Amino acid sequence: MLKMAGMKILLIEDDMDLGNGIRIALTDKGMDVTWVRQLADAQSQLEQRGFDLLLLDLGLPDGDGMGLLAGLRRKREGVPVLILSARDALSERLLGLDTGADDYLVKPFELAELLSRVRALARRSYGFDGETLELRGIVLHAPTRRVTINGRLADLTGSEYELLRILMMRADRVVTRRSLEEQALPGAQANASNSLDVHMANLRRKVGEGLIRTVRGVGYVIDQREVGR
Amino acid sequence: MRKYWQRLVAQSVVARLLMAQMFVLCLLWLLALAYVVHDSTRDKVTLELEPTYQAIIAVAENELAEPAKMRESIRKVELALRDMAGVDMTAFPGPSFIVENSQGILYRSVEVPAGARAGAPGELPLFESGGSMWRARTVQSPHSEVRITGIMPADGVNIFLRLASRGTLLLPLLISFPFLILPAWLSIRLAQGPWTKAMADLATRGPQDLRPLPVEGRPRELVAMFNRINALLERVRDSAERERAFIADAAHELRTPLAAMRVNVEALQQQASDPRQQQLLDGIVSGNARATRLVSQLLRLMRSDATSGDELERICFDGLVQERMAALAGIADAKGVELEMSGDDGLYLAGRREGLVSLVDNLLDNAIKYSPERGKVLADVRRADGGVVLRISDQGPGIAPELRERVFDRFFRDPRQAQSHSGSGLGLAIALAVARQHGGSIALDAAGSMGLCVTVCLPAND
């Protein structure tokens, strides 16, 4: 499990109360938070030092956070960006993600939700990218596409590996059948519902029952910790 | 009568045009008739028929010695004259005569109206008798004392009726009426074509479609009207746009302070160790959560109104339901509620994603909220004739039949549930607003022995 302590976070938020609250909450979790309230300050901070994660508000006094994000992506800076915004329209969220944000959180949010998203981005930023993903005894090594279960090598087909990777990446969240079909079984478009079930049954047999939970008709999920029931 | 008339002309432009045409036609005809009638009041034809007078005078002079024979002869002349003019004395009065000399009256037609009097020769006196107007003309015999006075009805109505009885003037009108009306009706119908087409085009527009109406290829008269309508639509669009901007502003203004409150309280909660403090902080958190939910529901409702003019996109509805169920699986999991989905694949409809997401979210959210622990929420999406039907059923307490209409009202909550479950009272109102905007409907039913089944019908777009 990845440690969030020591993570360098740049918080760009103009609201005094909210910015201060987030800063204290994250600092309590051991993170290194730099809080700025204007785009110009954010730019200078980004030039001075590197950050592991940006928490970006969109409506700022000296411009729109989307501009900063677009600038970052133009310079091919891969730092993960989590947008915190009151704009909750679908089009706004899609615009944010299309511009290059890694996630989009609508205000108001629960602290637990913010921490979980930060954790997920941290995992992606230096826990996973080109590295390994580990969960309940299963280790997935992306560059070699090797999967070990309790130290023993598992022999997975390409589709099974993809299914497992997607579910582990999005641990604790239900991944819909549709998106699994689209991402892991691109060949089988029509009548794919059956083929997904077949692949999933095979995968379950190989990784052990009880790891992948079914939400019938909806999708599948891998829980970080085994649910007791 | 007036009401009836107004209804007749207000109902149809065609009727109005036909009426106008008939009216003008009749008016022209009446004018022509009036001229004829006016001309007839001076009935020179009969009254100035000099030979008639001379003939009667001659008869009177020749048979002066035998008054009975004379009266019979004059009577015959008179009848012949009337027959020639086509007058039936029983229905309409015609010419009648008084013949007299210095001794007194020699002959007097039985039809002579009371009060008739002879004027001086050459005059045409008018007098009234029996409610009608009459005109008299007196001619003096050049050889003797015999004078003859002809009396003709001078009443317009009488003359008109007399003319009508002959059928000379009204009959052609009656005969030609159908020939005039049918072409008029046909030509109006033909000219109406562009209107009919424009109406058909308008009928295909959705209720929320505020795009300008296309004016190309339309006749001038319609272009003028369409331009006016377009100007109106533009104003409506503008105001919808302003409303949306206002909502976006309000969202930002309300959400940021709510978020600030929440984060600060939760940060404080992490530090507080005293259970009593924790309890108080929990109270703030749950109050904040309620306010947050209310604000976001209100904004959703406002937005579902404001975005109702947006373009429709083709949406895979079963995919959307699946997505939302996956998204809400966490909440269900936390409550120990099992989610399940069944039904058909590849159900497409024309809609607005955001609205449909709030519809599905609200219904699922309610179902999860009112489910008992270890309960099951089942979503079923199916193709039904011409549409897509989503059924979401739970095993909760359900809603009493008499409240099933009222729960759609904004801020109305089932009094039995209001204490045990928090909610904004807007969820079903939002779902209903969205369903209606998509031309669909929502119905509530009991799901088996217990629980609620919400059925949403939406038109499909395959």
Side-chain angles (χ1 to χ4, degrees), chain B residues 86-97:
Chain B
V87 178
D88 177 1
M89 290 303 281
T90 54
F92 313 108
S96 54
F97 299 94

Side-chain angles (χ1 to χ4, degrees), chain B residues 1-190:
Chain B
M1 182 70 193
R2 192 169 158 197
K3 254 189 194 159
Y4 178 77
W5 172 253
Q6 277 177 349
R7 211 170 58 220
L8 191 71
V9 294
Q11 256 169 11
S12 152
V13 176
V14 176
R16 210 185 159 91
L17 278 169
L18 280 178
M19 287 289 171
Q21 199 147 11
M22 284 199 292
F23 176 71
V24 170
L25 199 65
C26 290
L27 195 69
L28 286 175
W29 212 280
L30 279 174
L31 280 176
L33 269 181
Y35 175 75
V36 171
V37 166
H38 172 72
D39 213 37
S40 316
T41 49
R42 286 176 289 131
D43 209 340
K44 293 169 184 130
V45 185
T46 319
L47 279 177
E48 295 185 2
L49 211 62
E50 207 58 34
T52 309
Y53 288 81
Q54 295 306 332
I56 296 176
I57 288 171
V59 170
E61 281 174 347
N62 292 341
E63 309 203 5
L64 203 60
E66 290 178 81
K69 207 171 168 193
M70 176 188 71
R71 279 195 289 276
E72 194 183 329
S73 300
I74 296 178
R75 178 72 181 167
K76 282 195 173 139
V77 172
E78 189 181 22
L79 289 177
L81 185 69
R82 286 184 194 153
D83 186 52
M84 212 164 69
V87 178
D88 177 1
M89 290 303 281
T90 54
F92 313 108
S96 54
F97 299 94
I98 301 171
V99 182
E100 58 196 331
N101 63 8
S102 51
Q103 272 92 51
I105 290 172
L106 299 173
Y107 171 82
R108 185 188 170 97
S109 309
V110 284
E111 294 87 357
V112 168
R117 60 182 180 82
E123 282 179 10
L124 291 170
L126 260 177
F127 62 93
E128 196 193 330
S129 172
S132 309
M133 295 304 290
W134 303 85
R135 197 182 285 278
R137 180 176 181 238
T138 304
V139 175
Q140 175 77 50
S141 161
H143 325 292
S144 64
E145 286 187 317
V146 176
R147 282 186 310 171
I148 173 163
T149 304
I151 296 132
M152 279 291 290
D155 199 314
V157 175
N158 282 339
I159 291 168
F160 176 78
L161 289 174
R162 197 183 87 205
L163 294 171
S165 80
R166 295 289 280 176
T168 45
L169 287 166
L170 276 183
L171 204 59
L173 178 65
L174 290 175
I175 292 170
S176 57
F177 231 70
F179 294 97
L180 291 166
I181 291 302
L182 183 73
W185 177 79
L186 261 177
S187 55
I188 292 168
R189 284 307 296 256
L190 283 177

Side-chain angles (χ1 to χ4, degrees), chain A residues 7 48 192:
Chain A
M7 214 173 145
Q48 284 167 29

Side-chain angles (χ1 to χ4, degrees), chain B residues 255-318:
Chain B
R255 286 189 152 155
T256 306
L258 279 172
M261 202 193 293
R262 172 120 207 173
V263 165
N264 281 285
V265 174
E266 286 188 312
L268 184 56
Q269 245 179 340
Q270 288 178 351
Q271 294 170 358
S273 48
D274 183 350
R276 282 176 58 204
Q277 283 179 2
Q278 282 291 356
Q279 224 173 23
L280 293 173
L281 291 173
D282 281 346
I284 300 178
V285 168
S286 88
N288 176 275
R290 271 168 50 203
T292 298
R293 184 163 169 76
L294 185 57
V295 162
S296 92
Q297 289 283 65
L298 261 176
L299 295 174
R300 271 182 168 187
L301 188 59
M302 292 293 108
R303 190 178 290 131
S304 77
D305 291 342
T307 57
S308 56
D310 285 3
E311 292 270 345
L312 297 175
E313 51 174 322
R314 197 169 134 84
I315 292 169
C316 174
F317 190 58
D318 56 297

Side-chain angles (χ1 to χ4, degrees), chain B residues 347-413:
Chain B
L347 302 174
Y348 284 90
L349 47 81
R352 282 173 279 271
R353 177 168 290 275
E354 187 138 21
L356 292 173
V357 165
S358 11
L359 179 143
V360 173
D361 275 9
N362 273 301
L363 297 182
L364 283 175
D365 205 53
N366 277 345
I368 294 168
K369 186 159 70 186
Y370 293 111
S371 275
E373 209 167 315
R374 305 214 165 271
K376 189 186 212 177
V377 170
L378 177 65
D380 184 89
V381 195
R382 247 165 238 291
R383 199 184 310 271
D385 34 68
V388 172
V389 175
L390 165 68
R391 274 193 194 84
I392 294 180
S393 42
D394 61 48
Q395 299 172 331
I399 295 177
E402 63 271 19
L403 293 179
R404 282 180 197 158
E405 289 290 321
R406 288 203 63 198
V407 287
F408 287 105
D409 292 348
R410 296 175 180 192
F411 296 112
F412 179 82
R413 304 200 57 220

